[in-house]
Amino acid sequence: MRLQAAWYRTYDALAAPRPARTTVLRRRLYALSHPYWTRTAAAPAARAELRRQARRLRTLESAR
């Protein structure tokens, strides 16, 4: 779940207007995406639950 939350943070940074270090962010996004999709043969419902929990974690982290 922490990897998915890190993916969201990286994606948000990359989606920001005129992001700095786009190459670094893109590489990080790829690195965070690659292990999950290659190792996981989980059902779509499990992937959706992972994303839901990661969004919740991101919301809690941003509230701090």
Side-chain angles (χ1 to χ4, degrees), residues 55-64:
R55 283 188 198 105
R56 182 171 171 255
L57 179 62
R58 180 175 64 168
T59 301
L60 293 173
E61 288 175 348
S62 66
R64 290 183 192 173

Side-chain angles (χ1 to χ4, degrees), residues 3-18:
L3 286 175
Q4 186 69 35
W7 187 93
Y8 280 123
R9 284 191 300 273
T10 304
Y11 184 86
D12 290 344
L14 191 57
R18 298 183 183 218

Side-chain angles (χ1 to χ4, degrees), residues 3 23 29 31-33 38 47 49 59 61-63:
L3 286 175
T23 300
L29 196 62
L32 290 167
S33 299
T38 58
R47 289 193 303 267
E49 177 62 18
T59 301
E61 288 175 348
S62 66

Side-chain angles (χ1 to χ4, degrees), residues 23-56:
T23 300
V24 172
L25 290 171
R26 287 174 195 224
R27 286 179 182 161
R28 178 160 170 74
L29 196 62
Y30 176 76
L32 290 167
S33 299
H34 186 67
Y36 177 76
W37 295 113
T38 58
R39 287 185 300 138
T40 304
R47 289 193 303 267
E49 177 62 18
L50 173 67
R51 286 191 294 272
R52 187 191 66 74
Q53 289 181 14
R55 283 188 198 105
R56 182 171 171 255

